[in-house]
């Protein structure tokens, strides 16, 4: 397997009246061709910003992004437009990400028109029909408007639009968070089928840990802009090493009355990401924090095969 | 409150929303009881009628469209559906109070949080301004908001802290019944864990009963004593935690469990519930779940089953139960 996407010390800061908000801080990760990489974290941890910075929907402040071995950190203009054919995004909210005044056919076909992919009207309509079949939308809906659909089918329209130009890498930004569980399962199955059929590589951003375990091969956990742990999906759930990951996992309510486990309640809430000082950002809430944690930022260390942790104490006796 | 006494008794409740285009049958013949100190979970998907039931109990249905067509809601033995608006105002906040899903829209953005709580206390108790302010500070302290922050405005708090303020407000007059409508849906998991623990602690300390509305079966497993699974405005299954989690009988309940990705088991494919969600403005003649039910038969299309007690206290509304096939 080859690496399709890689980031090196990627940073994204936003300017605010109070100083710079460090939304993404030195994130280095790799995604292999054909796999699904899950990105989990709580609201405000920078997971969506990371996805958007990789896609050039936001310009990175520092660091590098490589796609298919090529440095795409500073691509502009025509080159960037060409890149869009290969990298796409599915948005969280299927209500606000579809133009209410365009029909389903127009929404799905818009990328074809922008990139002048199809040569004739027949080819254009045929491609739209193919895409609708692919995502399970009935042909009779081609002239309907987004408001006529429920959330699940609206999300299918968004998926068809993302697949339109035949991309090989798609960022899925919380694609099922706005949906009911029964619909959520349909969309997750659809994404997995499409991935197998088209050989897609997915970066799956979510706050839902059971969803991410189900769909990903590797998982990255983010906290306040930093990558704190990266591991194979199952390994993360059985053998998490970072104190934040442990607390996060223990906080998920399990739908069973026999699940007995110790809950680690972490006190307090996220500290401010504006002009953060040095040191581990989780230190203020971490039950094991020492002076070292408050003074120096921990680097990612490989403590098991493919299992990386950014914690001074992980692996040692503590 | 005595633990065996029935605090809230909802019988045969029917609520319709009427517009000039259609009548939406949001709640159809729902009955349940909550005893003193007990927590009942109301589980279902979007549009199942969970919030409508809560609003009917609070008498907060939208004035021009929502209407209780039939049924009674008894709180401590008194039917509150027939109370006047004025009498209901005295009940709301003192006997029953509600925690809403979105804490931002439940708070007044231009009023300090301690003042909002003091206002509520003065409305229901004859105390001086000073006493009300002191009581407000005390209850805020109980939910973990320090006195130096009590004088701040809602926008100065984070989501989790705002929900704490809302909880403080709901519990300020020690109500007998607390209705929590998706209290943690807008919160992150670690904050959700804090808030659920807080609600549980305060509830146990004061002996308050609770109606918890949620779509998250994990939250139900951790908080409730009894569960009502609701689909298209009807309770399709009702029982203790054990009945629902270990002996789920209604096909819809089973489907709900099958759609959730597991945290410790590997599942190749999830089993989604197929078919379109039911339209409450146009309910089918027979069982309302039959269009999506994997076990549906011909009789389900025309025959609307009644609730059957499959085990003591465990009610199932399904043709299969009627025929003793479960």
């Amino acid at each position: 397997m080859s690496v399709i996407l890689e980031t090196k010390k990627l940073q994204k800061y936003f300017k605010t009246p109070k100083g710079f908000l460090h939304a993404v801080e030195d994130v280095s990760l790799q995604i292999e061709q054909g796999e699904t990489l899950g990105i989990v974290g709580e609201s405000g941890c920078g997971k969506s910003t990371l996805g958007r910075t990789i896609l050039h929907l936001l310009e990175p402040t520092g660091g590098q992004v490589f796609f298919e071995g090529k440095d795409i950190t500073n691509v502009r203009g025509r080159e960037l437009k060409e890149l869009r054919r290969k990298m796409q995004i599915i948005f969280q909210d299927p209500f606000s990400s579809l133009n209410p005044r365009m029909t389903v056919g127009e929404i799905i076909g818009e990328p074809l028109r922008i990139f002048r992919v199809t040569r004739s009207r027949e080819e254009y309509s045929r491609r739209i029909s193919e895409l609708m079949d692919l995502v399970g939308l009935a042909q009779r809906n081609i002239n309907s408007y987004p408001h006529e659909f429920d959330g699940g089918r609206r999300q299918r329209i968004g998926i068809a639009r993302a697949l339109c130009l035949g991309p090989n890498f798609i960022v899925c930004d919380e694609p099922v968070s706005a949906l009911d569980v029964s619909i959520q399962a349909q969309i997750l199955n659809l994404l997995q089928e499409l991935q197998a059929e088209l050989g897609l590589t997915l970066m799956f951003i979510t706050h839902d840990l059971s969803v991410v375990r189900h769909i990903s091969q590797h998982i990255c956990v983010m906290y306040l802009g930093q990558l704190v742990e990266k591991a194979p999906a199952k390994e993360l759930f059985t053998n998490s090493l970072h104190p934040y990951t442990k607390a996060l996992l223990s906080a998920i309510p399990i739908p069973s009355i026999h699940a007995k486990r110790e809950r680690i309640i972490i006190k307090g809430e996220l500290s401010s990401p504006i002009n953060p000082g040095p040191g581990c950002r989780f230190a203020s809430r971490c039950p094991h924090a020492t002076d070292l944690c408050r003074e120096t930022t921990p680097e990612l260390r490989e403590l098991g095969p493919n299992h990386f942790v950014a914690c001074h104490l992980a692996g040692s006796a503590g | 409150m005595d633990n065996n006494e029935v605090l809230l008794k909802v019988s045969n409740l029917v609520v319709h929303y009427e517009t000039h285009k259609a009548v939406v049958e949001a709640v159809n013949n729902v009955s349940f009881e909550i005893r003193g100190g007990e927590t009942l979970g109301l589980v279902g998907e979007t549009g199942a009628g969970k919030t409508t039931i809560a609003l009917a109990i609070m008498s907060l249905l939208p004035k021009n469209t929502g209407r209780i067509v039939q049924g009674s809601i008894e709180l401590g033995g008194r039917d509150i559906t027939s109370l006047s608006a004025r009498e209901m105002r005295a009940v709301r906040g003192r006997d029953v109070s509600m925690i809403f899903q979105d804490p931002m829209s439940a708070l007044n953005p231009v009023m300090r949080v301690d003042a909002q709580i003091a206002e509520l206390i003065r409305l229901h108790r004859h105390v001086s301004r000073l006493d009300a302010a002191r009581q407000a500070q005390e209850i805020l302290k109980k939910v973990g908001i320090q006195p130096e922050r009590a004088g701040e405005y809602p926008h100065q708090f984070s989501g989790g802290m705002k929900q704490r303020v809302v909880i403080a407000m709901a519990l300020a007059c020690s109500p007998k019944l607390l209705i929590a409508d998706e209290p943690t849906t807008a919160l992150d998991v670690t904050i959700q864990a804090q808030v659920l623990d807080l609600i549980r602690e305060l509830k146990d300390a004061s002996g308050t009963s609770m109606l918890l509305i949620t779509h998250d079966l994990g939250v139900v497993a951790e908080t409730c004593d009894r569960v009502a699974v609701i689909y298209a405005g009807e309770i399709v299954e009702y029982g203790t935690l054990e009945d629902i989690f270990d002996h789920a009988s209604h096909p819809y309940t089973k489907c709900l469990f099958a759609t959730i990705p597991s945290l410790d088991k590997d599942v190749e494919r999830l089993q989604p519930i197929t078919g379109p969600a039911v339209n409450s403005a146009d309910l089918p003649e027979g069982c309302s779940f039959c269009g999506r039910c994997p076990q549906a038969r011909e009789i389900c299309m025309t025959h609307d089953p009644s609730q059957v007690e499959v085990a003591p206290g465990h009610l199932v509304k399904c043709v299969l139960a009627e025929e003793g096939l479960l």
Side-chain angles (χ1 to χ4, degrees), chain B residues 51-68:
Chain B
T51 301
T52 303
I53 293 174
L55 293 178
I57 297 170
M58 293 294 282
S59 179
L60 286 174
L61 288 168
K63 229 188 249 153
N64 297 321
T65 51
R67 196 161 66 85
I68 296 181

Side-chain angles (χ1 to χ4, degrees), chain A residues 64-228:
Chain A
Q64 288 171 298
V65 184
F66 295 88
F67 181 67
E68 293 179 334
K70 192 165 149 267
D71 186 348
I72 58 159
T73 321
N74 295 308
V75 293
R76 296 263 184 289
R78 190 176 295 165
E79 240 184 317
L80 177 59
K81 192 176 164 188
E82 279 308 306
L83 200 61
R84 298 262 186 257
R85 283 173 183 256
K86 295 183 180 165
M87 304 169 92
Q88 279 291 332
I89 183 166
I90 299 166
F91 293 98
Q92 169 173 11
D93 183 0
F95 296 81
S96 62
S97 60
L98 301 175
N99 187 336
R101 300 171 63 147
M102 283 166 79
T103 65
V104 172
E106 285 167 353
I107 292 171
I108 298 176
E110 194 181 20
L112 296 175
R113 276 179 280 132
I114 292 172
F115 283 87
R116 303 211 174 95
V117 178
T118 47
R119 302 235 165 73
S120 61
R121 280 217 70 80
E122 290 75 47
E123 197 187 338
Y124 175 75
S125 327
R126 199 175 60 238
R127 182 80 186 121
I128 293 174
S129 307
E130 279 170 17
L131 285 161
M132 289 180 76
D133 279 341
L134 194 62
V135 298
L137 285 167
Q139 295 295 339
R140 64 186 146 80
N141 291 327
I142 192 160
N143 291 317
S144 308
Y145 288 89
H147 75 264
E148 297 172 51
F149 296 96
D150 60 15
R153 266 175 291 174
R154 251 181 267 206
Q155 201 55 291
R156 287 175 194 265
I157 302 172
I159 293 173
R161 177 176 62 184
L163 293 175
C164 183
L165 296 169
N168 34 24
F169 175 68
I170 300 181
V171 172
C172 308
D173 189 359
E174 305 250 15
V176 295
S177 308
L179 309 174
D180 269 319
V181 279
S182 65
I183 311 294
Q184 167 180 307
Q186 292 175 14
I187 298 295
L188 290 176
N189 283 343
L190 174 67
L191 284 172
Q192 285 183 312
E193 283 158 20
L194 291 172
Q195 179 172 33
E197 203 176 316
L198 307 172
L200 299 171
T201 307
L202 303 178
M203 178 164 152
F204 199 96
I205 300 169
T206 180
H207 66 274
D208 188 328
L209 288 142
S210 51
V211 167
V212 85
R213 181 187 186 275
H214 176 74
I215 201 159
S216 337
Q217 282 83 50
H218 286 91
I219 298 177
C220 290
V221 182
M222 284 184 76
Y223 186 79
L224 270 181
Q226 291 173 330
L227 201 62
V228 296

